């Protein structure tokens, strides 16, 4: 069963990637309506519904997608891409049409990320990432900043750590997710709660965005990056980790392996 599920996920993701070529999509923002039409969606309506979206199979074989008109534009795009995932995953006799099955939901979210931010359209990843770059990408791809950050980190192309904090009462922050990190370990574990009285946390909650430095990690390591407060979460992107210099542990060359050749 598990093997079948993996094969199916692979097939669905490949189908999602092929859609860009099939539908002649060459640049962001990805024209999701064109893709939806190609897959048999006959109409997309924006209504007052409590869910983010709904996929309806029509009697004549096509589909209708209903999106919540109260959701922001970026959220509606994500939902439409997610429903496209359900169409791709649907095969006769299975239940992939319905939201509810956790595995199907995760697959459809992966399809959405693939369609909204295709890897091939990210051309400036070599320049490194920070919140400003993510914001530009989010605008270009018409995605939320949070979805963009997840996607870029999950591609595994840039070093950095994305941390998503949930504000609690009394100014406390709880680390709700750290999707992927590359290049260094983050100083916090998922579920960690930081006290609102700590100066570092006071800074994060006092201003909606800015640079951030954290020096309280074990071994005296210092992390730097920047952060931005969104609607419900605080998104932090750490871009560098500095280890304290110590005569005992310092290597003869301070350059990381592989960098030495560049500078010698
Ligand atoms: Zn769903």
């Amino acid at each position: 069963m598990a093997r079948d599920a993996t094969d199916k996920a692979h097939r669905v993701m490949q189908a999602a990637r092929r859609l860009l070529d099939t539908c002649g999509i060459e640049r962001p923002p990805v024209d999701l309506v064109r893709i939806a039409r190609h897959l048999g969606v006959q109409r997309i309506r924006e209504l007052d519904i409590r869910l983010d979206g709904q996929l309806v199979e029509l009697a004549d074989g096509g589909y209708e997608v209903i999106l919540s008109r109260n959701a922001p534009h970026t959220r509606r795009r994500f939902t439409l891409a997610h429903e496209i995932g359900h169409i791709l995953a649907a095969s006769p006799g299975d239940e992939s049409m319905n939201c509810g099955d956790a595995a199907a939901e995760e697959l459809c979210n992966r399809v959405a990320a693939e369609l909204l931010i295709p890897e091939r359209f990210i051309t400036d990843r070599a320049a490194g990432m920070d919140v400003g770059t993510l914001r530009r990408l989010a605008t270009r791809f018409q995605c939320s900043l949070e979805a963009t950050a997840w996607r870029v980190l999950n591609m595994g192309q840039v070093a950095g750590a994305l941390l998503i904090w949930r504000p609690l009462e009394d100014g406390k922050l709880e680390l709700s997710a750290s999707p992927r990190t590359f290049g260094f370990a983050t100083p916090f574990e998922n579920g960690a709660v930081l006290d609102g009285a700590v100066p570092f946390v006071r800074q994060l909650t006092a201003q909606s965005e800015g640079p951030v430095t954290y020096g309280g990690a074990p071994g005296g390591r210092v992390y730097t990056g920047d952060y931005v407060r969104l609607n419900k979460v605080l998104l932090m992107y750490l871009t560098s980790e500095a280890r304290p210099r110590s005569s005992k542990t310092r290597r003869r060359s301070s350059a990381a392996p592989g960098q030495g050749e560049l500078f010698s």
Side-chain angles (χ1 to χ4, degrees):
M1 283 297 281
R3 174 70 187 273
D4 285 352
T6 312
D7 287 350
K8 178 177 178 174
H10 187 69
R11 226 172 41 241
V12 168
M13 292 309 292
Q14 279 195 323
R17 286 182 203 112
R18 273 199 306 272
L19 278 174
L20 297 169
D21 291 326
T22 313
C23 297
I25 289 162
E26 292 167 344
R27 65 185 66 82
V30 171
D31 187 345
L32 295 172
V33 173
R34 195 192 299 178
I35 292 175
R37 288 223 176 91
H38 172 76
L39 293 174
V41 173
Q42 297 185 10
R43 44 174 195 266
I44 298 169
R45 288 195 292 162
E46 295 182 358
L47 301 174
D48 262 318
I49 53 171
R50 287 168 72 192
L51 296 168
D52 275 332
Q54 214 177 335
L55 179 65
V56 181
E57 207 167 357
L58 300 172
D60 60 6
Y63 300 97
E64 176 184 61
V65 176
I66 302 170
L67 301 173
S68 165
R69 83 158 127 225
N70 304 311
H73 173 68
T74 52
R75 183 75 208 171
R76 289 201 302 272
R77 274 176 63 77
F78 185 90
T79 304
L80 177 54
H82 175 99
E83 300 303 344
I84 288 171
H86 278 291
I87 297 174
L88 289 179
S91 50
D94 82 13
E95 300 290 306
S96 303
M97 288 282 296
N98 301 318
C99 285
D101 172 33
E105 287 309 280
E106 207 218 295
L107 178 57
C108 293
N109 285 342
R110 281 175 58 203
V111 168
E114 186 71 38
L115 291 178
L116 288 166
I117 309 181
E119 194 160 358
R120 66 175 90 164
F121 295 154
I122 296 193
T123 51
D124 48 4
R125 59 179 169 236
M129 286 291 161
D130 52 26
V131 169
T133 312
L134 290 172
R135 213 196 285 274
R136 281 193 294 281
L137 284 175
T139 305
R140 197 192 309 158
F141 288 88
Q142 289 181 20
C143 285
S144 72
L145 186 58
E146 195 179 343
T148 305
W150 275 84
R151 173 70 173 144
V152 168
L153 261 287
N154 278 326
M155 284 178 195
Q157 302 279 354
V158 290
L162 175 68
L163 304 169
I164 296 168
W165 298 93
R166 201 163 57 90
L168 304 176
E169 75 290 353
D170 305 332
K172 288 179 184 162
L173 291 177
E174 181 185 39
L175 184 60
S176 62
S178 49
R180 279 286 176 96
T181 63
F182 292 95
F184 50 85
T186 71
F188 309 104
E189 302 254 323
N190 278 356
V193 175
L194 302 186
D195 194 290
V198 174
F200 166 74
V201 180
R202 276 217 305 274
Q203 182 211 333
L204 294 178
T205 46
Q207 292 176 341
S208 59
E209 60 181 284
V212 65
T213 301
Y214 180 72
R221 292 192 303 271
V222 177
Y223 293 84
T224 52
D226 43 4
Y227 74 95
V228 59
R229 194 160 60 223
L230 306 175
N231 190 18
K232 290 182 188 147
V233 295
L234 194 145
L235 188 147
M236 185 190 286
Y237 197 99
L238 299 175
T239 48
S240 79
E241 177 201 55
R243 288 194 173 78
R245 284 169 177 243
S246 134
S247 54
K248 274 184 189 168
T249 56
R250 198 175 163 189
R251 282 187 288 188
R252 276 166 62 199
S253 163
S254 62
Q259 285 185 332
E261 305 110 57
L262 289 173
F263 298 105
S264 59

